[in-house]
Amino acid sequence: MELRTIATETIADFDRDEVDIAIRFTKPPLPTHLESAKLFTQVSLPVASPTLIGNQSLPLSLAQLQALPLLHEAHNHWSDFLGVTHALSGIVFNQMTLALDAAVAGQGVALAPKAFIKKELQTGLLIPVNDKTLTLESSYYLVRKRTALPRPSVDAVWQWCLDHLVDKETP
């Protein structure tokens, strides 16, 4: 079995791109020719390295949060989180993982999906800096093309994903 992981914002075409399984950030309904399983709802929270926060008392107010360097990723939900309409300053990354790496390095505050930062929160590399969360309408789904043909390898990877990636804490 060959297993390749490709990280892209482009929606894969299962036939043209020779993709068996994809993870998509979307909202239902999905096309009927696709089988899907919800992995998790995107619930994001502001996190930072303890070294960036220093001796500031937590939780920070939204005003205190805006005074810190904000780390933006491609979907940039900071304006929704903070309830502002003006442009916010900060570093912009094209991938969430880059923003998270910068947050761990103490370069600013990232608005990160809980499902992406469980290990960093458990180990203390990142800490929540405000109690507010942002829940988006779209969620992450495991998706594959419906077929009647047996595909044991694809089925095994599909099941592994369901067993290991579904977040039982978020609906």
Side-chain angles (χ1 to χ4, degrees):
M1 173 185 345
E2 178 184 356
L3 185 62
R4 286 185 293 150
T5 302
I6 303 167
T8 179
E9 293 285 324
T10 305
I11 295 177
D13 179 293
F14 287 96
D15 295 320
R16 182 192 67 227
D17 299 332
E18 297 181 8
V19 171
D20 295 310
I21 298 173
I23 296 176
R24 291 194 179 157
F25 182 61
T26 188
K27 54 186 168 185
L30 274 68
T32 56
H33 71 281
L34 298 177
E35 179 181 0
S36 66
K38 185 175 179 180
L39 297 175
F40 56 88
T41 299
Q42 182 164 322
V43 178
S44 296
L45 67 157
V47 293
S49 166
T51 58
L52 178 73
I53 301 307
N55 60 1
Q56 295 183 72
S57 296
L58 296 177
L60 299 177
S61 70
L62 294 182
Q64 289 174 302
L65 191 56
Q66 288 183 66
L68 293 171
L70 300 180
L71 303 173
H72 304 268
E73 49 81 32
H75 299 287
N76 195 10
H77 298 290
W78 273 114
S79 295
D80 293 335
F81 180 83
L82 295 169
V84 299
T85 55
H86 62 275
L88 296 165
S89 63
I91 303 169
V92 180
F93 299 93
N94 69 340
Q95 294 279 327
M96 173 57 73
T97 55
L98 298 173
L100 293 177
D101 288 345
V104 168
Q107 296 176 0
V109 182
L111 187 58
K114 283 183 180 181
F116 290 6
I117 56 170
K118 286 181 179 181
K119 186 167 85 173
E120 289 81 356
L121 291 173
Q122 289 171 349
T123 61
L125 285 172
L126 293 174
I127 57 172
V129 296
N130 181 278
D131 295 332
K132 183 178 175 180
T133 60
L134 177 67
T135 302
L136 300 179
E137 287 183 27
S138 295
S139 297
Y140 284 88
Y141 287 84
L142 192 63
V143 181
R144 67 179 172 179
K145 187 176 175 182
R146 291 187 190 276
T147 181
L149 300 173
R151 300 184 303 166
S153 296
V154 173
D155 292 343
V157 173
W158 179 268
Q159 191 56 53
W160 184 93
C161 290
L162 293 178
D163 292 344
H164 293 89
L165 300 179
V166 172
D167 186 352
K168 290 149 180 80
E169 295 174 18
T170 59

